[in-house]
Amino acid sequence: MDRFIIRGGKPLHGEITIGGAKNAGLKLMVAGLLTAGRLVLTNVPRIADIATMRDLLVQHGVAVEDLTGDGSSYSIGGEITNTEAPYDIVSKMRASILVLGPLLARCGKARVSLPGGCAIGTRPVDMHLKGLETLGAEIRLEGGYINATAPKGLIGDRVILPFASVGATENLLMAATLAKGCTEIVNAAREPEIGDLVACLNAMGAKITGSGSGTLIIEGVEVLHGAEHRIMPDRIECGTYACAAAITGGDLKLLGGRVDDLGAVVRALEETGVEVTQESYGMRVRRTGALRGVDIMTEPYPGFPTDMQAQFMAMLAVAEGASMITETIFENRFMHVPELNRMGARINVHGSSAIIRGVHALSGAPVMATDLRASFSLILAGLAAHGETTLSRVYHLDRGYEAVEKKLAACGANIERVKG
């Protein structure tokens, strides 16, 4: 099992290219199920989750062609020959549940494994299923599978989401593109990745308005056609490397980074004393003074993203004064706290909040990754710590970050991947 060895204490300086967004790319690949034409995606992130999604689409019978040979561009589309998404693939990646809506819309039936729980929380799919039932689907849960049919086809209706769920919004949005009549999704999630999905679907012939407003209006069409779409830059990757500049006292140019996509993350960085500017090439992030403690609460977009919580916690562990992070999205997303405390951090968890009392320095230690974002929080801590940090179970990291050790080493980090 691979691990990283990090020898900290070096400020990072240089350039890092921000790749395509994981949280957009996965859903855009699923959109390929909606057409017999060819959906061409460029700026595809070369990460493990993309490979898993490719495997899922292929077993549905859809052709997935690597256009460049390096996994950065795919052509997706064709006839669907299998409407079942099996447990052995869905269990690897929760985004697999998003094939449910497109399969129903195009084929009138789908059998998709329930994803179950995951390390950071349960993330139930109730809203997906209730929303699809509102659109005319008949759903039965049997043997750990969702068995869904739409005997009369999906029919547009008004769906009110009790929570601005990203996954439910995306599933219903894709399903509604081929439904009869008009669908209105109220309290829709407003994340930039959903805007990217809307732009792609409209390029394929969908009729969707209201992106970013919290209410999406979808006029169903009979068929969608092929299109070409460039996946947006990954705002979470960008924010993560911004934290790397901040925690090491460095100065990084994040090529392709967009301040507007990060919103609350940029404001929080500036509160800690970090300078963030939008430049022609992307974002520049630098820290010249001490970090200051801040209070943060995770919220749906445009609030502070839960996917940046762990990275900020590592950074605030070496900030002056006390900070508090309150997690409102997932109930079990503080599993990195014991590992950070092993490195000398002073963090106490009280229910859904973590109190962080900044320390002068962290110390390298053997630590273990528990989920995707937590794994990078431990890299950040290792970059700032005195001595050597060994991070194991980095397969979590490979799910969502591309060439981490190469990008960091190019900016002066002492980090290496050890195969094992």
Side-chain angles (χ1 to χ4, degrees):
M1 194 176 296
D2 289 6
R3 64 189 187 278
F4 282 155
I5 296 177
I6 307 159
R7 298 169 183 89
K10 293 186 175 182
L12 300 184
H13 294 274
E15 299 179 349
I16 291 177
T17 299
I18 302 304
K22 165 187 177 288
N23 290 336
L26 292 171
K27 294 47 176 305
L28 290 163
M29 291 180 73
V30 173
L33 291 172
L34 292 167
T35 179
R38 309 303 294 171
L39 173 61
V40 175
L41 298 175
T42 60
N43 198 35
V44 179
R46 287 168 285 190
I47 55 177
D49 274 8
I50 291 290
T52 301
M53 183 60 76
R54 179 191 62 213
D55 292 343
L56 179 59
L57 295 180
V58 168
Q59 70 86 41
H60 284 308
V62 173
V64 181
E65 181 184 356
D66 183 348
L67 298 176
T68 51
D70 63 357
S72 63
S73 297
Y74 281 112
S75 170
I76 303 165
E79 296 305 320
I80 295 171
T81 60
N82 173 30
T83 57
E84 179 173 322
Y87 174 75
D88 62 341
I89 297 180
V90 176
S91 62
K92 295 178 183 177
M93 182 181 64
R94 291 192 56 89
S96 303
I97 190 69
L98 292 176
V99 303
L100 178 61
L103 288 174
L104 257 181
R106 190 164 164 213
C107 303
K109 62 179 181 177
R111 186 170 189 264
V112 179
S113 171
L114 283 164
C118 69
I120 61 173
T122 54
R123 298 202 269 188
V125 297
D126 301 25
M127 281 186 280
H128 300 241
L129 306 186
K130 290 177 181 177
L132 289 170
E133 285 179 328
T134 300
L135 299 183
E138 296 179 1
I139 294 175
R140 292 176 293 107
L141 302 181
E142 293 178 342
Y145 276 78
I146 302 163
N147 293 290
T149 58
K152 298 179 181 178
L154 294 177
I155 300 169
D157 205 333
R158 192 168 194 253
V159 180
I160 302 174
L161 296 178
F163 175 79
S165 163
V166 173
T169 298
E170 292 164 334
N171 225 337
L172 296 171
L173 172 63
M174 288 189 282
T177 60
L178 296 178
K180 298 182 182 74
C182 178
T183 299
E184 181 182 12
I185 303 175
V186 180
N187 197 28
R190 294 184 283 166
E191 272 73 4
E193 293 81 7
I194 290 176
D196 207 34
L197 177 59
V198 168
C200 179
L201 291 171
N202 282 341
M204 296 168 68
K207 297 179 179 179
I208 306 166
T209 57
S211 180
S213 70
T215 299
L216 294 170
I217 307 294
I218 307 102
E219 293 285 347
V221 297
E222 287 192 11
V223 294
L224 295 179
H225 52 70
E228 182 170 340
H229 181 80
R230 180 176 176 83
I231 298 171
M232 66 176 285
D234 195 316
R235 64 190 174 99
I236 303 302
E237 182 188 23
C238 186
T240 299
Y241 285 117
C243 287
I247 198 169
T248 64
D251 185 346
L252 291 179
K253 295 179 179 179
L254 305 177
L255 309 184
R258 304 196 303 217
V259 168
D260 288 347
D261 287 344
L262 282 164
V265 172
V266 170
R267 292 191 292 274
L269 283 167
E270 290 174 339
E271 284 185 47
T272 68
V274 177
E275 181 181 318
V276 181
T277 55
Q278 184 72 60
E279 308 289 348
S280 58
Y281 56 77
M283 269 174 52
R284 183 182 181 187
V285 184
R286 62 176 178 171
R287 191 194 106 203
T288 55
L291 287 170
R292 299 188 296 267
V294 297
D295 293 343
I296 292 168
M297 177 181 291
T298 64
E299 296 175 303
Y301 191 86
F304 190 92
T306 182
D307 279 353
M308 285 299 304
Q309 178 255 106
Q311 300 92 306
F312 258 72
M313 187 176 291
M315 189 178 76
L316 295 173
V318 293
E320 292 182 347
S323 305
M324 182 168 70
I325 296 179
T326 302
E327 174 61 59
T328 70
I329 307 297
F330 295 125
E331 70 274 14
N332 194 25
R333 208 163 194 179
F334 285 146
M335 291 189 295
H336 45 284
V337 170
E339 302 300 290
L340 289 171
N341 283 344
R342 280 175 51 79
M343 300 178 69
R346 296 175 61 205
I347 306 169
N348 293 301
V349 176
H350 302 277
S352 62
S353 294
I355 309 299
I356 305 121
R357 295 174 177 84
V359 298
H360 179 67
L362 298 173
S363 299
V367 289
M368 183 179 297
T370 53
D371 65 69
L372 171 57
R373 307 305 175 184
S375 60
F376 216 117
S377 75
L378 299 174
I379 288 179
L380 294 174
L383 291 172
H386 297 309
E388 183 175 287
T389 296
T390 302
L391 173 63
S392 59
R393 297 175 67 181
V394 300
Y395 58 84
H396 287 293
L397 189 86
D398 294 333
R399 285 187 46 229
Y401 290 97
E402 177 184 338
V404 169
E405 66 275 25
K406 294 178 182 177
K407 291 185 177 185
L408 288 171
C411 296
N414 189 335
I415 178 172
E416 62 177 317
R417 180 187 289 260
V418 177
K419 300 288 185 179

